Amino acid sequence: MTPKVQSLLRFRCTGCGNCCKEPLLPLTASDVKRIAKRTGDKPVDFIRWVDRNGIDMDDEPEGFVQLRQGKRVMVLRHYKGGCYYLGKDNRCTIYTSRPLGCRIFPFDATFHKDGKMRHLKLIQAADCKYELDGKNEVDEIRELDRRTEEANDHWHDQIADWNREQQKRKRSGRAAGTAREFFDFLGLG
Ligand code: SF4
Ligand code: SF4
């Protein structure tokens, strides 16, 4: 393990809240299901759809859902300058049910086949006011990374199935489905 990785493993969140105020967070269907179950909120309350001008995801085309209004990414809605679920004290009000993307932030790690950490860097999506006096376990980061990858793969498969259907609709002269129809397709309606 390089000294740089060892140093980053000492990352400690100071709770500044900037990661919940600045970037838009893409969601998966399982994130939406978990949040809706915990809060009782309807997906339309806490979801926003953004196009490629609203989020930097050109390197992840599989995350775009074909809707009637065009290709969109499903993100957590912002309200009054921060995430819909950010409390006044800068704390997450749905902490135990928060999306996987929030859980892994700001770690971006890669691993060798034998499970050893290959690289570790910090995602530069917010002005993160961290300190380097904490302690993070490689095993925990690996497990979170595995769960996130698995959830994203499943989500991208769901999007691909939906997008294929929309292409068929368009070929038969019909418009692509609406966001509401997409939620029905996911069983979130
Ligand atoms: S769900 Fe919670 S942790 Fe995630 S961005 Fe919103 S407030 Fe922050
Ligand atoms: S931006 Fe960094 S320090 Fe601030 S709350 Fe998020 S993870 Fe913690």
Side-chain angles (χ1 to χ4, degrees):
M1 200 180 290
T2 65
K4 168 97 175 151
V5 170
Q6 282 174 345
S7 164
L8 290 181
L9 284 172
R10 289 195 287 275
F11 173 93
R12 177 175 64 81
C13 170
T14 60
C16 72
N18 287 344
C19 55
C20 306
K21 293 175 188 160
E22 296 166 14
L24 289 176
L25 182 82
L27 297 172
T28 66
S30 56
D31 289 327
V32 173
K33 215 172 267 184
R34 188 177 342 98
I35 293 171
K37 190 172 171 199
R38 153 78 187 267
T39 62
D41 292 340
K42 293 194 177 71
V44 290
D45 296 334
F46 60 85
I47 280 171
R48 200 180 131 210
W49 292 99
V50 291
D51 66 16
R52 61 190 295 266
N53 298 313
I55 193 162
D56 183 11
M57 274 186 42
D58 283 354
D59 61 344
E60 206 181 314
E62 63 275 26
F64 283 80
V65 181
Q66 181 68 59
L67 298 177
R68 190 157 297 178
Q69 65 267 42
K71 290 183 177 174
R72 297 289 186 272
V73 175
M74 186 170 73
V75 301
L76 203 43
R77 181 182 290 278
H78 275 205
Y79 176 71
K80 291 188 177 174
C83 169
Y84 190 73
Y85 292 113
L86 183 64
K88 286 193 178 118
D89 56 359
N90 269 345
R91 288 175 183 274
C92 177
T93 59
I94 56 163
Y95 191 74
T96 55
S97 305
R98 70 198 186 287
L100 279 173
C102 303
R103 291 169 204 236
I104 202 157
F105 186 87
F107 291 128
D108 180 2
T110 55
F111 297 90
H112 291 286
K113 277 193 180 146
D114 64 4
K116 283 189 182 143
M117 189 173 265
R118 186 202 301 259
H119 291 302
L120 180 66
K121 59 181 180 176
L122 300 184
I123 299 168
Q124 305 289 321
D127 182 17
C128 185
K129 309 281 190 196
Y130 63 93
E131 297 285 353
L132 288 175
D133 57 2
K135 190 171 188 296
N136 296 275
E137 300 296 339
V138 172
D139 286 352
E140 281 175 24
I141 298 173
R142 188 192 306 106
E143 175 59 11
L144 208 41
D145 182 73
R146 187 196 64 73
R147 284 178 60 199
T148 305
E149 290 269 312
E150 198 175 271
N152 282 338
D153 286 349
H154 181 56
W155 174 229
H156 293 154
D157 286 346
Q158 287 176 300
I159 294 175
D161 287 346
W162 165 266
N163 286 352
R164 260 191 303 275
E165 283 306 309
Q166 306 323 299
Q167 287 308 325
K168 276 191 212 162
R169 279 170 74 140
K170 282 166 124 183
R171 278 199 295 274
S172 65
R174 295 161 63 211
T178 62
R180 188 171 292 275
E181 286 174 89
F182 182 60
F183 289 145
D184 288 342
F185 166 83
L186 295 173
L188 297 168

